[in-house]
Amino acid sequence: MSENSLHGGIDAGGTTFKCGLADASGNLINTHRVQVTTPEETLAAAAGWFASNARSGSLKTFGIASFGPIDVDSRSASYGTITGSAKPGWSGMNLRGHFADALGLPVTVDTDVNGALLAEMILGAALDCSSAAYVTVGTGIGAGLFANGGFLGRPSHPEFGHIALRRHPSDGDFKSVCPFHDDCLEGLASVRAIRARANAPEDLPADHPVWDIAADYLAQAARTLTLSFRPERIILGGGLMLAPHLISRIHKAFDQQMGGYLEHVPSSELITTPGLGDNAGLIGAILLGQQDAQ
Ligand code: ZN
């Protein structure tokens, strides 16, 4: 590919589409945020930005790392289409088809967490790991899992946010924010759940009791991941993990819950925050497109 070729990608989140262009070496050279409104408005604004910022013919590959549920089976007729009803108005929207038509090139689509996981494995906190999990703890909770040379859960994707948890002893009366489950990870430990109990996470003092409850639930999630598929690294990202004291509480809770059962690397090495921070999803989206083209 020529030195002037560009590689595009979108980290398609529930509230913001982060759009980016990278050069042939993978360096981000231009980024743009589109607020999510209606599907039509959002997709048109994002496609318009790429059309105005990538010279004609210079855009060589394109990837989308999206919120879900979404069809990620490249053999499916509805590949790249949002499925289910998690976000009102978006069910049935074909992200891949829209951008392939608008930009005139093939488009690769995967989940936001698989995108972030790929970026972390190539450039970030899971560099040199042969297996890893990326869990996003934001408005919702989801996980991407990689082992044996590929993403797990194909031809679909995991829905790790909805695994069942044991209630924390002082959290028995809290009403889960998940409309489907009274006991799931997303219903009890997402940013929405923290907000429903107390306040916006960024406004909560470090000694607020809700942090120990959140740490207990996220440690249960890490325990389930470790005991079911033994990833070399578990990366916890998303808005809730921006609280700097949370990760060490999770390590402590994880060690207590494991009860010394397994020999494993110290929990502070096993369970980490993202190496690429907020950019993991966007860099991952661009890498998804580049990998597919190879
Ligand atoms: Zn649920």
Side-chain angles (χ1 to χ4, degrees):
M1 291 191 185
S2 81
E3 282 179 16
N4 297 322
S5 62
L6 291 173
H7 303 272
I10 300 176
D11 178 7
T15 55
T16 308
F17 274 27
K18 291 180 207 156
C19 306
L21 288 164
D23 63 19
S25 308
N27 303 307
L28 278 177
I29 54 173
N30 201 353
T31 63
H32 178 66
R33 285 170 178 253
V34 173
Q35 286 305 310
V36 172
T37 54
T38 63
E40 293 75 14
E41 221 174 62
T42 310
L43 299 184
W49 182 79
F50 284 102
S52 343
N53 286 277
R55 288 180 313 281
S56 178
S58 61
L59 196 54
K60 301 300 179 193
T61 66
F62 202 85
I64 300 175
S66 174
F67 69 87
I70 185 164
D71 185 343
V72 295
D73 181 4
S74 59
R75 296 162 304 175
S76 158
S78 57
Y79 173 41
T81 302
I82 306 277
T83 60
S85 54
K87 189 164 177 61
W90 284 80
S91 186
M93 291 309 298
N94 187 337
L95 301 188
R96 187 194 58 79
H98 177 88
F99 287 96
D101 290 347
L103 304 173
L105 78 172
V107 172
T108 303
V109 176
D110 215 314
T111 60
D112 46 6
V113 280
N114 278 354
L117 174 57
L118 180 66
E120 290 290 337
M121 291 190 77
I122 293 175
L123 300 164
L127 193 68
D128 298 328
C129 291
S130 60
S131 63
Y134 184 100
V135 183
T136 184
V137 191
T139 310
I141 296 182
L145 315 175
F146 187 101
N148 303 330
F151 294 119
L152 301 189
R154 292 294 196 229
S156 183
H157 59 80
E159 283 288 344
F160 188 73
H162 299 273
I163 61 162
L165 298 181
R166 165 183 46 74
R167 285 264 181 171
H168 185 278
S170 61
D171 198 41
D173 295 333
F174 176 69
K175 187 176 179 338
S176 161
V177 300
C178 174
F180 301 96
H181 314 114
D182 187 45
D183 59 357
C184 76
L185 179 60
E186 179 170 305
L188 299 180
S190 61
V191 167
R192 256 186 310 143
I194 303 306
R195 217 181 262 141
R197 278 193 195 83
N199 210 334
E202 58 271 26
D203 296 330
L204 286 175
D207 61 356
H208 194 287
V210 80
W211 290 116
D212 281 335
I213 294 172
D216 175 65
Y217 292 145
L218 293 168
Q220 288 188 54
R223 174 185 173 186
T224 296
L225 286 170
T226 299
L227 296 175
S228 52
F229 94 108
R230 294 299 293 271
E232 284 185 78
R233 187 113 334 130
I234 298 171
I235 300 164
L236 302 178
L240 197 66
M241 297 310 301
L242 295 176
H245 52 85
L246 182 55
I247 190 76
S248 59
R249 289 172 199 255
I250 294 169
H251 294 147
K252 195 171 155 208
F254 177 83
D255 288 339
Q256 281 171 352
Q257 290 177 23
M258 291 292 281
Y261 174 62
L262 280 179
E263 280 191 25
H264 56 77
V265 297
S267 52
S268 57
E269 287 176 36
L270 175 65
I271 307 167
T272 70
T273 49
L276 301 172
D278 197 33
N279 273 337
L282 178 56
I283 293 170
I286 295 168
L287 288 169
L288 284 166
Q290 287 179 302
Q291 282 209 334
D292 233 15
Q294 282 171 1

PDB file of all heavy atoms in Angstrom, residues 42-70:
ATOM      1  N   THR A  42     -27.120  10.020  12.566  1.00  0.00           N
ATOM      2  CA  THR A  42     -25.803   9.636  13.083  1.00  0.00           C
ATOM      3  C   THR A  42     -24.942   9.039  11.968  1.00  0.00           C
ATOM      4  O   THR A  42     -23.769   9.407  11.801  1.00  0.00           O
ATOM      5  CB  THR A  42     -25.970   8.593  14.216  1.00  0.00           C
ATOM      6  OG1 THR A  42     -26.934   9.087  15.138  1.00  0.00           O
ATOM      7  CG2 THR A  42     -24.659   8.331  14.924  1.00  0.00           C
ATOM      8  N   LEU A  43     -25.526   8.115  11.209  1.00  0.00           N
ATOM      9  CA  LEU A  43     -24.755   7.441  10.150  1.00  0.00           C
ATOM     10  C   LEU A  43     -24.378   8.423   9.043  1.00  0.00           C
ATOM     11  O   LEU A  43     -23.253   8.386   8.521  1.00  0.00           O
ATOM     12  CB  LEU A  43     -25.549   6.262   9.575  1.00  0.00           C
ATOM     13  CG  LEU A  43     -25.911   5.139  10.565  1.00  0.00           C
ATOM     14  CD1 LEU A  43     -26.612   3.994   9.851  1.00  0.00           C
ATOM     15  CD2 LEU A  43     -24.683   4.625  11.305  1.00  0.00           C
ATOM     16  N   ALA A  44     -25.290   9.341   8.715  1.00  0.00           N
ATOM     17  CA  ALA A  44     -24.990  10.326   7.670  1.00  0.00           C
ATOM     18  C   ALA A  44     -23.869  11.257   8.118  1.00  0.00           C
ATOM     19  O   ALA A  44     -22.965  11.585   7.335  1.00  0.00           O
ATOM     20  CB  ALA A  44     -26.251  11.123   7.320  1.00  0.00           C
ATOM     21  N   ALA A  45     -23.904  11.683   9.392  1.00  0.00           N
ATOM     22  CA  ALA A  45     -22.863  12.598   9.895  1.00  0.00           C
ATOM     23  C   ALA A  45     -21.501  11.907   9.899  1.00  0.00           C
ATOM     24  O   ALA A  45     -20.483  12.503   9.525  1.00  0.00           O
ATOM     25  CB  ALA A  45     -23.225  13.075  11.300  1.00  0.00           C
ATOM     26  N   ALA A  46     -21.476  10.641  10.308  1.00  0.00           N
ATOM     27  CA  ALA A  46     -20.198   9.924  10.361  1.00  0.00           C
ATOM     28  C   ALA A  46     -19.653   9.694   8.951  1.00  0.00           C
ATOM     29  O   ALA A  46     -18.474   9.968   8.684  1.00  0.00           O
ATOM     30  CB  ALA A  46     -20.373   8.594  11.093  1.00  0.00           C
ATOM     31  N   ALA A  47     -20.498   9.223   8.042  1.00  0.00           N
ATOM     32  CA  ALA A  47     -20.029   8.965   6.671  1.00  0.00           C
ATOM     33  C   ALA A  47     -19.577  10.267   6.016  1.00  0.00           C
ATOM     34  O   ALA A  47     -18.577  10.293   5.280  1.00  0.00           O
ATOM     35  CB  ALA A  47     -21.139   8.307   5.853  1.00  0.00           C
ATOM     36  N   GLY A  48     -20.276  11.363   6.307  1.00  0.00           N
ATOM     37  CA  GLY A  48     -19.921  12.670   5.749  1.00  0.00           C
ATOM     38  C   GLY A  48     -18.540  13.113   6.201  1.00  0.00           C
ATOM     39  O   GLY A  48     -17.762  13.674   5.413  1.00  0.00           O
ATOM     40  N   TRP A  49     -18.213  12.843   7.455  1.00  0.00           N
ATOM     41  CA  TRP A  49     -16.896  13.248   7.955  1.00  0.00           C
ATOM     42  C   TRP A  49     -15.784  12.496   7.216  1.00  0.00           C
ATOM     43  O   TRP A  49     -14.781  13.104   6.821  1.00  0.00           O
ATOM     44  CB  TRP A  49     -16.798  12.992   9.467  1.00  0.00           C
ATOM     45  CG  TRP A  49     -15.470  13.432  10.015  1.00  0.00           C
ATOM     46  CD1 TRP A  49     -15.096  14.710  10.321  1.00  0.00           C
ATOM     47  CD2 TRP A  49     -14.325  12.603  10.257  1.00  0.00           C
ATOM     48  NE1 TRP A  49     -13.796  14.727  10.759  1.00  0.00           N
ATOM     49  CE2 TRP A  49     -13.295  13.450  10.735  1.00  0.00           C
ATOM     50  CE3 TRP A  49     -14.070  11.233  10.137  1.00  0.00           C
ATOM     51  CZ2 TRP A  49     -12.040  12.974  11.087  1.00  0.00           C
ATOM     52  CZ3 TRP A  49     -12.809  10.751  10.483  1.00  0.00           C
ATOM     53  CH2 TRP A  49     -11.807  11.621  10.956  1.00  0.00           C
ATOM     54  N   PHE A  50     -15.973  11.189   7.029  1.00  0.00           N
ATOM     55  CA  PHE A  50     -14.939  10.429   6.312  1.00  0.00           C
ATOM     56  C   PHE A  50     -14.814  10.912   4.859  1.00  0.00           C
ATOM     57  O   PHE A  50     -13.706  11.058   4.343  1.00  0.00           O
ATOM     58  CB  PHE A  50     -15.240   8.922   6.348  1.00  0.00           C
ATOM     59  CG  PHE A  50     -14.935   8.298   7.680  1.00  0.00           C
ATOM     60  CD1 PHE A  50     -15.956   8.004   8.572  1.00  0.00           C
ATOM     61  CD2 PHE A  50     -13.630   8.025   8.053  1.00  0.00           C
ATOM     62  CE1 PHE A  50     -15.670   7.448   9.813  1.00  0.00           C
ATOM     63  CE2 PHE A  50     -13.336   7.469   9.293  1.00  0.00           C
ATOM     64  CZ  PHE A  50     -14.364   7.182  10.176  1.00  0.00           C
ATOM     65  N   ALA A  51     -15.966  11.165   4.241  1.00  0.00           N
ATOM     66  CA  ALA A  51     -15.929  11.608   2.837  1.00  0.00           C
ATOM     67  C   ALA A  51     -15.180  12.925   2.709  1.00  0.00           C
ATOM     68  O   ALA A  51     -14.446  13.155   1.743  1.00  0.00           O
ATOM     69  CB  ALA A  51     -17.356  11.733   2.307  1.00  0.00           C
ATOM     70  N   SER A  52     -15.323  13.828   3.715  1.00  0.00           N
ATOM     71  CA  SER A  52     -14.639  15.126   3.590  1.00  0.00           C
ATOM     72  C   SER A  52     -13.195  15.093   4.056  1.00  0.00           C
ATOM     73  O   SER A  52     -12.447  16.012   3.770  1.00  0.00           O
ATOM     74  CB  SER A  52     -15.327  16.233   4.403  1.00  0.00           C
ATOM     75  OG  SER A  52     -16.585  15.941   4.767  1.00  0.00           O
ATOM     76  N   ASN A  53     -12.811  14.078   4.817  1.00  0.00           N
ATOM     77  CA  ASN A  53     -11.455  14.093   5.384  1.00  0.00           C
ATOM     78  C   ASN A  53     -10.493  13.085   4.782  1.00  0.00           C
ATOM     79  O   ASN A  53      -9.303  13.103   5.110  1.00  0.00           O
ATOM     80  CB  ASN A  53     -11.528  13.910   6.900  1.00  0.00           C
ATOM     81  CG  ASN A  53     -12.016  15.173   7.580  1.00  0.00           C
ATOM     82  OD1 ASN A  53     -11.234  16.077   7.836  1.00  0.00           O
ATOM     83  ND2 ASN A  53     -13.324  15.259   7.802  1.00  0.00           N
ATOM     84  N   ALA A  54     -11.017  12.172   3.958  1.00  0.00           N
ATOM     85  CA  ALA A  54     -10.123  11.239   3.268  1.00  0.00           C
ATOM     86  C   ALA A  54     -10.209  11.557   1.776  1.00  0.00           C
ATOM     87  O   ALA A  54     -11.285  11.481   1.188  1.00  0.00           O
ATOM     88  CB  ALA A  54     -10.546   9.799   3.537  1.00  0.00           C
ATOM     89  N   ARG A  55      -9.085  11.950   1.182  1.00  0.00           N
ATOM     90  CA  ARG A  55      -9.090  12.269  -0.254  1.00  0.00           C
ATOM     91  C   ARG A  55      -9.598  11.082  -1.052  1.00  0.00           C
ATOM     92  O   ARG A  55      -9.381   9.931  -0.673  1.00  0.00           O
ATOM     93  CB  ARG A  55      -7.674  12.626  -0.727  1.00  0.00           C
ATOM     94  CG  ARG A  55      -7.167  13.956  -0.241  1.00  0.00           C
ATOM     95  CD  ARG A  55      -5.747  14.224  -0.755  1.00  0.00           C
ATOM     96  NE  ARG A  55      -4.860  13.079  -0.569  1.00  0.00           N
ATOM     97  CZ  ARG A  55      -4.281  12.771   0.587  1.00  0.00           C
ATOM     98  NH1 ARG A  55      -4.487  13.520   1.647  1.00  0.00           N
ATOM     99  NH2 ARG A  55      -3.488  11.716   0.684  1.00  0.00           N
ATOM    100  N   SER A  56     -10.238  11.381  -2.135  1.00  0.00           N
ATOM    101  CA  SER A  56     -10.838  10.336  -2.956  1.00  0.00           C
ATOM    102  C   SER A  56      -9.811   9.243  -3.294  1.00  0.00           C
ATOM    103  O   SER A  56      -8.706   9.532  -3.756  1.00  0.00           O
ATOM    104  CB  SER A  56     -11.361  10.971  -4.251  1.00  0.00           C
ATOM    105  OG  SER A  56     -11.892   9.963  -5.067  1.00  0.00           O
ATOM    106  N   GLY A  57     -10.171   8.004  -2.997  1.00  0.00           N
ATOM    107  CA  GLY A  57      -9.299   6.877  -3.322  1.00  0.00           C
ATOM    108  C   GLY A  57      -8.243   6.572  -2.284  1.00  0.00           C
ATOM    109  O   GLY A  57      -7.566   5.550  -2.364  1.00  0.00           O
ATOM    110  N   SER A  58      -8.056   7.470  -1.295  1.00  0.00           N
ATOM    111  CA  SER A  58      -6.976   7.243  -0.327  1.00  0.00           C
ATOM    112  C   SER A  58      -7.385   6.267   0.776  1.00  0.00           C
ATOM    113  O   SER A  58      -6.531   5.647   1.408  1.00  0.00           O
ATOM    114  CB  SER A  58      -6.527   8.566   0.300  1.00  0.00           C
ATOM    115  OG  SER A  58      -7.597   9.165   0.991  1.00  0.00           O
ATOM    116  N   LEU A  59      -8.696   6.130   1.018  1.00  0.00           N
ATOM    117  CA  LEU A  59      -9.163   5.249   2.087  1.00  0.00           C
ATOM    118  C   LEU A  59      -9.105   3.790   1.603  1.00  0.00           C
ATOM    119  O   LEU A  59      -9.782   3.418   0.644  1.00  0.00           O
ATOM    120  CB  LEU A  59     -10.603   5.641   2.458  1.00  0.00           C
ATOM    121  CG  LEU A  59     -11.173   5.116   3.773  1.00  0.00           C
ATOM    122  CD1 LEU A  59     -10.288   5.464   4.959  1.00  0.00           C
ATOM    123  CD2 LEU A  59     -12.581   5.663   3.980  1.00  0.00           C
ATOM    124  N   LYS A  60      -8.270   2.984   2.249  1.00  0.00           N
ATOM    125  CA  LYS A  60      -8.025   1.626   1.758  1.00  0.00           C
ATOM    126  C   LYS A  60      -8.775   0.550   2.538  1.00  0.00           C
ATOM    127  O   LYS A  60      -9.140  -0.486   1.976  1.00  0.00           O
ATOM    128  CB  LYS A  60      -6.520   1.312   1.807  1.00  0.00           C
ATOM    129  CG  LYS A  60      -5.679   2.255   0.984  1.00  0.00           C
ATOM    130  CD  LYS A  60      -6.070   2.219  -0.492  1.00  0.00           C
ATOM    131  CE  LYS A  60      -5.223   3.184  -1.302  1.00  0.00           C
ATOM    132  NZ  LYS A  60      -5.773   3.407  -2.642  1.00  0.00           N
ATOM    133  N   THR A  61      -8.900   0.727   3.859  1.00  0.00           N
ATOM    134  CA  THR A  61      -9.611  -0.280   4.660  1.00  0.00           C
ATOM    135  C   THR A  61     -10.509   0.434   5.655  1.00  0.00           C
ATOM    136  O   THR A  61     -10.293   1.615   5.984  1.00  0.00           O
ATOM    137  CB  THR A  61      -8.636  -1.189   5.446  1.00  0.00           C
ATOM    138  OG1 THR A  61      -7.951  -0.398   6.416  1.00  0.00           O
ATOM    139  CG2 THR A  61      -7.638  -1.874   4.518  1.00  0.00           C
ATOM    140  N   PHE A  62     -11.532  -0.290   6.145  1.00  0.00           N
ATOM    141  CA  PHE A  62     -12.481   0.336   7.063  1.00  0.00           C
ATOM    142  C   PHE A  62     -13.042  -0.716   8.015  1.00  0.00           C
ATOM    143  O   PHE A  62     -13.462  -1.799   7.591  1.00  0.00           O
ATOM    144  CB  PHE A  62     -13.640   0.968   6.278  1.00  0.00           C
ATOM    145  CG  PHE A  62     -14.351   2.040   7.045  1.00  0.00           C
ATOM    146  CD1 PHE A  62     -13.878   3.350   7.041  1.00  0.00           C
ATOM    147  CD2 PHE A  62     -15.483   1.745   7.794  1.00  0.00           C
ATOM    148  CE1 PHE A  62     -14.522   4.350   7.765  1.00  0.00           C
ATOM    149  CE2 PHE A  62     -16.133   2.740   8.513  1.00  0.00           C
ATOM    150  CZ  PHE A  62     -15.652   4.046   8.498  1.00  0.00           C
ATOM    151  N   GLY A  63     -13.025  -0.394   9.312  1.00  0.00           N
ATOM    152  CA  GLY A  63     -13.567  -1.314  10.314  1.00  0.00           C
ATOM    153  C   GLY A  63     -14.496  -0.595  11.278  1.00  0.00           C
ATOM    154  O   GLY A  63     -14.334   0.598  11.541  1.00  0.00           O
ATOM    155  N   ILE A  64     -15.471  -1.324  11.801  1.00  0.00           N
ATOM    156  CA  ILE A  64     -16.399  -0.768  12.791  1.00  0.00           C
ATOM    157  C   ILE A  64     -16.423  -1.700  13.993  1.00  0.00           C
ATOM    158  O   ILE A  64     -16.614  -2.909  13.851  1.00  0.00           O
ATOM    159  CB  ILE A  64     -17.831  -0.638  12.221  1.00  0.00           C
ATOM    160  CG1 ILE A  64     -17.836   0.281  10.995  1.00  0.00           C
ATOM    161  CG2 ILE A  64     -18.788  -0.113  13.286  1.00  0.00           C
ATOM    162  CD1 ILE A  64     -19.196   0.358  10.290  1.00  0.00           C
ATOM    163  N   ALA A  65     -16.201  -1.127  15.177  1.00  0.00           N
ATOM    164  CA  ALA A  65     -16.348  -1.863  16.433  1.00  0.00           C
ATOM    165  C   ALA A  65     -17.581  -1.278  17.109  1.00  0.00           C
ATOM    166  O   ALA A  65     -17.563  -0.130  17.545  1.00  0.00           O
ATOM    167  CB  ALA A  65     -15.103  -1.677  17.302  1.00  0.00           C
ATOM    168  N   SER A  66     -18.647  -2.072  17.173  1.00  0.00           N
ATOM    169  CA  SER A  66     -19.954  -1.496  17.513  1.00  0.00           C
ATOM    170  C   SER A  66     -20.568  -2.056  18.788  1.00  0.00           C
ATOM    171  O   SER A  66     -20.282  -3.184  19.187  1.00  0.00           O
ATOM    172  CB  SER A  66     -20.919  -1.767  16.360  1.00  0.00           C
ATOM    173  OG  SER A  66     -22.227  -1.366  16.689  1.00  0.00           O
ATOM    174  N   PHE A  67     -21.456  -1.242  19.383  1.00  0.00           N
ATOM    175  CA  PHE A  67     -22.324  -1.774  20.442  1.00  0.00           C
ATOM    176  C   PHE A  67     -23.191  -2.862  19.827  1.00  0.00           C
ATOM    177  O   PHE A  67     -23.323  -2.975  18.611  1.00  0.00           O
ATOM    178  CB  PHE A  67     -23.172  -0.651  21.068  1.00  0.00           C
ATOM    179  CG  PHE A  67     -24.237  -0.066  20.172  1.00  0.00           C
ATOM    180  CD1 PHE A  67     -25.502  -0.647  20.098  1.00  0.00           C
ATOM    181  CD2 PHE A  67     -23.983   1.061  19.395  1.00  0.00           C
ATOM    182  CE1 PHE A  67     -26.480  -0.121  19.276  1.00  0.00           C
ATOM    183  CE2 PHE A  67     -24.956   1.593  18.571  1.00  0.00           C
ATOM    184  CZ  PHE A  67     -26.208   0.996  18.506  1.00  0.00           C
ATOM    185  N   GLY A  68     -23.776  -3.688  20.647  1.00  0.00           N
ATOM    186  CA  GLY A  68     -24.581  -4.798  20.145  1.00  0.00           C
ATOM    187  C   GLY A  68     -25.904  -4.890  20.872  1.00  0.00           C
ATOM    188  O   GLY A  68     -26.272  -3.955  21.585  1.00  0.00           O
ATOM    189  N   PRO A  69     -26.618  -5.973  20.716  1.00  0.00           N
ATOM    190  CA  PRO A  69     -26.242  -7.130  19.897  1.00  0.00           C
ATOM    191  C   PRO A  69     -26.151  -6.775  18.410  1.00  0.00           C
ATOM    192  O   PRO A  69     -26.931  -5.960  17.920  1.00  0.00           O
ATOM    193  CB  PRO A  69     -27.385  -8.125  20.129  1.00  0.00           C
ATOM    194  CG  PRO A  69     -28.146  -7.640  21.331  1.00  0.00           C
ATOM    195  CD  PRO A  69     -27.931  -6.166  21.371  1.00  0.00           C
ATOM    196  N   ILE A  70     -25.194  -7.424  17.715  1.00  0.00           N
ATOM    197  CA  ILE A  70     -24.980  -7.145  16.297  1.00  0.00           C
ATOM    198  C   ILE A  70     -24.542  -8.442  15.605  1.00  0.00           C
ATOM    199  O   ILE A  70     -23.877  -9.276  16.228  1.00  0.00           O
ATOM    200  CB  ILE A  70     -23.928  -6.024  16.119  1.00  0.00           C
ATOM    201  CG1 ILE A  70     -23.793  -5.633  14.649  1.00  0.00           C
ATOM    202  CG2 ILE A  70     -22.580  -6.404  16.717  1.00  0.00           C
ATOM    203  CD1 ILE A  70     -23.086  -4.299  14.461  1.00  0.00           C
TER     204      ILE A  70
END
